[in-house]
Amino acid sequence: MSVTDNINAIRKALPAGVELCAVSKFHPVEKLQEAYDCGQRIFGESREQEVRQKYEILPKDIEWHFIGHLQTNKVKYIAPFISMIESVDSERLLDEIQKQASKNGRTIDVLLEIHVAQEETKSGWLPSEVTDLMHNARLAERWPDVRMRGVMGMASITDDETQIAREFQSLKEVYDHLLVLLAPQGITADTFNIRSWGMSHDWHVAVDNGSNQVRIGTDIFGEREY
Ligand SMILES: *Cc1c(COP(=O)(O)O)cnc(C)c1O
């Protein structure tokens, strides 16, 4: 199956209203171009240098989503063009995104990455940490050029679909809770409307459990060559 076939098959299977982020990390620009040529515009990358190189080469109407761990000292390199940073997991990172967004005269969209999986190694805020922060911080004053767009997360690596579903439900609960907490600050589901969960092996479970953006790499581009 070609990249085009894969994308078309996924599009057919995705319910209306669920967006596809094509995770293109470690894949060559030729493959991204093929995805672009069949209409794909949202691409997910996880390394700062790689996304910069691809941004230079590929069409400028691509929306680049950063989905990997982002060091604060790397934000400046992607701030001029990144559409969304999905992997925001600390106040320090939010502060730096604010600084660089302002320097570039841009507003940068972000998702709050929430840790619900069992693996300790996965990053992201604990639900209570992020709800405390969003409850107490004055967003418009502290991060005026950062736009909170929703929540991102990953389930545990397991074959147990019940557990995966439960973890995605936890993400949905955090999202719903944040909506309530952010309403007094004027942030509503008009803009805080992205629930990004589901990858190649679990996106079917994700869309049944509240996701409206799946991030799919392997099922589109094949195995990554590291
Ligand atoms: C790599 C990656 C994906 C895509 O994984 P696949 O299993 O290849 O679909 C999705 N989300 C994040 C955060 C990733 O790092």
Side-chain angles (χ1 to χ4, degrees):
M1 295 257 282
S2 67
V3 166
T4 306
D5 292 338
N6 293 339
I7 288 185
N8 286 333
I10 293 166
R11 278 191 190 138
K12 236 188 223 164
L14 283 180
V18 179
E19 203 166 61
L20 174 61
C21 173
V23 176
S24 48
K25 64 190 186 198
F26 294 97
H27 292 291
V29 289
E30 292 73 25
K31 282 195 177 177
L32 281 73
Q33 183 69 49
E34 185 179 345
Y36 180 90
D37 290 340
C38 76
Q40 183 64 30
R41 290 295 178 272
I42 302 176
F43 290 86
E45 289 282 340
S46 60
R47 296 185 304 173
E48 155 272 321
Q49 275 201 342
E50 185 174 346
V51 69
R52 277 159 79 193
Q53 285 167 0
K54 288 173 172 172
Y55 165 76
E56 290 301 333
I57 297 168
L58 288 161
K60 290 294 176 284
D61 62 341
I62 287 178
E63 295 174 34
W64 296 100
H65 286 202
F66 198 88
I67 62 170
H69 181 68
L70 182 58
Q71 287 172 290
T72 48
N73 62 351
K74 300 288 169 62
V75 175
K76 57 178 174 290
Y77 300 118
I78 62 171
F81 68 90
I82 204 81
S83 282
M84 187 180 290
I85 301 175
E86 298 206 7
S87 42
V88 174
D89 60 358
S90 73
E91 283 181 68
R92 244 163 57 86
L93 188 52
L94 277 171
D95 289 341
E96 182 63 18
I97 295 169
Q98 167 54 36
K99 185 173 153 194
Q100 298 301 333
S102 168
K103 263 192 186 165
N104 284 278
R106 302 185 67 215
T107 299
I108 295 182
D109 283 359
V110 302
L111 301 183
L112 302 165
E113 181 175 357
I114 315 294
H115 180 110
V116 292
Q118 280 179 337
E119 294 97 16
E120 286 294 331
T121 50
K122 293 228 165 93
S123 43
W125 266 299
L126 294 178
S128 60
E129 290 173 340
V130 78
T131 49
D132 282 355
L133 176 65
M134 291 299 133
H135 183 57
N136 293 313
R138 317 258 307 245
L139 274 71
E141 283 164 30
R142 186 158 172 198
W143 303 300
D145 302 308
V146 176
R147 192 161 66 146
M148 304 289 169
R149 293 298 311 279
V151 162
M152 183 271 236
M154 278 181 266
S156 299
I157 300 168
T158 170
D159 293 330
D160 182 352
E161 285 205 2
T162 316
Q163 183 184 343
I164 294 174
R166 200 175 336 115
E167 291 174 356
F168 287 152
Q169 279 300 328
S170 303
L171 290 172
K172 177 68 164 60
E173 279 162 26
V174 176
Y175 169 82
D176 289 339
H177 190 186
L178 285 170
L179 260 186
V180 174
L181 293 176
L182 292 172
Q185 306 204 41
I187 297 170
T188 69
D190 284 347
T191 53
F192 192 81
N193 57 6
I194 300 183
R195 299 179 299 275
S196 176
W197 50 89
M199 309 169 30
S200 288
H201 66 284
D202 60 15
W203 64 267
H204 290 94
V205 186
V207 296
D208 287 340
N209 289 279
S211 166
N212 66 2
Q213 183 193 265
V214 291
R215 307 179 309 268
I216 301 181
T218 310
D219 277 4
I220 296 175
F221 298 108
E223 295 294 333
R224 287 178 282 275
E225 284 179 35
Y226 296 106

